[in-house]
Amino acid sequence: MLTSLAFIFLVGLATASICQKLKLPGIIGMLITGIVLGPFVLDLLDPSILSISSDLRKMALIIILIKAGLSLDLSDLKKVGRPAILMSFLPASFEILAFAIFAPRLLNITRIDALVMGAVLGAVSPAVVVPRMVSLIDNNYGKDKSIPQMILAGASCDDIFVIVLFQTFLSMAQGGEIKIMDFVNIPLSIVLGIGLGALTGFVLSEYFEGAYRRRAYIRNSRKVIIVLAISFLLMAIETYAKGFLPISGLLAVVSMACVLKIRSVSFVSKRLSEKFGKLWIGAEVLLFVLVGAAVDIRYTMTAGIAAIAMIFIGLFFRSIGVLLCLVNTNLNAKERLFCVIAYLPKATVQAAIGSVPLSMGLACGQIVLSVAVLAILITAPLGAIGMDMTYKKLLTLEKTSQSPIAID
């Protein structure tokens, strides 16, 4: 395992540096590293590390979500309101609709199988989007209209919506029943996740401030470890409560970090944010190399031109959904275009659930996995390059935060 970790970090950082020198996002190099080192090409990674790959990827994602929560300005986010809520489900719904309409004709699959495929492809990748939105917030790009905050919030909820639909469509494909509670669980999961996180953040802040009042000073480095451990527990609660109570662990983590920021002295929250930013340097490499390692490159050969066409049709419909979310806001054409670009990349969710239909023996399993792999290889670089190369041209650099998105 130690040798595998050495390969992941050294080769991942080296290829990321090469990509950056070529004016490409570093994550492209990390994804390529994972694909090449993974079990489907050179097979240089130890099976023991691949067996815990999903947990390691989740840990890395938690780190950037804490950083995101510590960077969010809740007063701006509340004023954004409607567009952020719509961004959490409307673009994904439009993309799933595109698959339901066109996939049966292009890929010769049933309508139910097309819905399963659409649900797999419908989620935006928080691993690609969130760190870039955090960077924009830190550097004051688009902050006056709360554009990165809106995208960050929408992307965090988008996955919950899509995964619930995926489970529902899987049940239909297996001949099961559609349960109304599955759809009721979507808003319930969001509300309970935010509530649990807010309560946890309040208790943590009271503990930290109480220790300070008693002169039992807790170093910021120790606070980072405590916050990280509590975040792992929040994710575990989601798993344990899954059978009887829907809770979004990811939203709980973001909510906890937001409350910590609100209730902490600004200097302390800034220092915590900086420390999590440093942790992200290593976590990012781990996350994207392991995402690449989960990609079975062999399936791209079976997808064909029709699959590529279907992916771009889905992205076109998704873009329409994003633009509809922004109707009657004060965003200009350039800012709306950036929102469309930011909602293109797919990686984490597709790597996690793309192989599920195949493992369950569904007839559509191989084509779903093939299209999922192809979508990662196409959209993750496309979205990352698009955001990295356009944010300075499409978003306004603000000296101070002023007026969030106005809804007419």
Side-chain angles (χ1 to χ4, degrees):
M1 183 182 286
L2 291 179
T3 305
S4 295
L5 286 172
F7 281 144
I8 288 171
F9 287 113
L10 294 176
V11 182
L13 286 171
T15 53
S17 297
I18 292 170
C19 285
Q20 287 166 348
K21 287 183 179 179
L22 295 173
K23 305 298 183 184
L24 297 172
I27 69 160
I28 296 176
M30 298 173 200
L31 285 170
I32 292 171
T33 297
I35 292 170
V36 174
L37 295 180
F40 309 110
V41 183
L42 296 181
D43 194 18
L44 294 178
L45 299 181
D46 193 289
S48 60
I49 201 167
L50 293 174
S51 67
I52 59 170
S53 171
S54 61
D55 292 318
L56 292 173
R57 281 182 278 156
K58 194 174 289 184
M59 287 169 61
L61 194 56
I62 286 170
I63 289 170
I64 194 57
L65 287 173
I66 296 171
K67 166 76 171 153
L70 291 170
S71 301
L72 271 176
D73 188 332
L74 278 187
S75 61
D76 283 352
L77 193 57
K78 283 192 294 184
K79 293 173 185 175
V80 170
R82 176 180 59 81
I85 295 171
L86 292 177
M87 292 279 275
S88 68
F89 70 90
L90 199 58
S93 298
F94 268 70
E95 188 166 7
I96 293 171
L97 176 64
F99 275 87
I101 295 171
F102 295 101
R105 300 177 185 178
L106 287 175
L107 302 175
N108 195 29
I109 58 177
T110 66
R111 192 78 65 188
I112 295 298
D113 289 345
L115 288 171
V116 171
M117 183 182 290
V120 171
L121 274 291
V124 70
S125 173
V128 179
V129 174
V130 171
R132 281 167 173 76
M133 295 307 108
V134 171
S135 177
L136 293 180
I137 292 170
D138 290 344
N139 291 291
N140 290 326
Y141 276 96
K143 275 190 71 176
D144 66 319
K145 297 179 182 178
S146 300
I147 294 169
Q149 291 95 321
M150 175 188 66
I151 295 171
L152 196 158
S156 299
C157 298
D158 172 273
D159 292 354
I160 303 164
F161 173 72
V162 168
I163 289 171
V164 170
L165 288 183
F166 172 69
Q167 292 168 341
T168 302
F169 295 148
L170 263 186
S171 177
M172 292 169 60
Q174 291 179 300
E177 298 179 354
I178 301 177
K179 299 177 181 177
I180 299 299
M181 279 306 297
D182 288 340
F183 296 96
V184 174
N185 284 345
I186 296 173
L188 190 59
S189 172
I190 293 171
V191 171
L192 290 178
I194 293 173
L196 176 63
L199 177 62
T200 306
F202 177 82
V203 172
L204 262 182
S205 63
E206 283 294 303
Y207 169 66
F208 291 151
E209 291 303 311
Y212 180 79
R213 287 192 295 269
R214 295 191 305 271
R215 298 187 180 277
Y217 302 116
I218 302 174
R219 294 181 60 185
N220 286 326
S221 298
R222 184 165 292 187
K223 288 180 181 178
V224 166
I225 296 172
I226 294 171
V227 171
L228 204 52
I230 295 295
S231 299
F232 294 161
L233 287 176
L234 291 175
M235 295 298 294
I237 288 172
E238 177 184 3
T239 304
Y240 294 142
K242 198 170 186 179
F244 58 91
L245 196 63
I247 298 173
S248 169
L250 293 179
L251 281 180
V253 170
V254 176
S255 175
M256 175 193 68
C258 285
V259 172
L260 271 178
K261 179 187 177 181
I262 293 169
R263 294 183 55 83
S264 298
V265 179
S266 59
F267 172 77
V268 173
S269 61
K270 184 179 178 182
R271 288 288 295 156
L272 287 176
S273 180
E274 289 172 355
K275 286 184 179 292
F276 276 105
K278 291 174 182 176
L279 277 179
W280 173 243
I281 295 171
E284 181 183 31
V285 180
L286 199 63
L287 173 61
F288 287 108
V289 172
L290 290 176
V291 166
V295 171
D296 190 342
I297 197 72
R298 297 171 299 179
Y299 283 101
T300 59
M301 308 304 293
T302 64
I305 300 298
I308 297 174
M310 189 62 247
I311 289 168
F312 279 101
I313 290 171
L315 291 179
F316 176 73
F317 270 66
R318 184 179 192 83
S319 300
I320 293 174
V322 172
L323 293 173
L324 285 176
C325 295
L326 304 176
V327 170
N328 292 332
T329 65
N330 63 345
L331 270 64
N332 59 40
K334 289 183 177 180
E335 291 162 341
R336 293 174 194 234
L337 176 58
F338 180 82
C339 292
V340 168
I341 294 169
Y343 253 56
L344 295 180
K346 306 174 187 303
T348 13
V349 175
Q350 289 70 30
I353 67 175
S355 62
V356 172
L358 182 62
S359 66
M360 295 178 69
L362 295 182
C364 65
Q366 183 164 330
I367 187 63
V368 169
L369 180 56
S370 300
V371 177
V373 169
L374 207 54
I376 293 171
L377 296 176
I378 292 172
T379 64
L382 183 66
I385 292 170
M387 284 184 278
D388 290 352
M389 294 186 68
T390 62
Y391 74 92
K392 290 183 179 178
K393 298 175 183 177
L394 301 180
L395 301 180
T396 305
L397 174 61
E398 297 300 321
K399 301 300 181 185
T400 55
S401 184
Q402 296 170 0
S403 57
I405 296 174
I407 303 173
D408 298 333

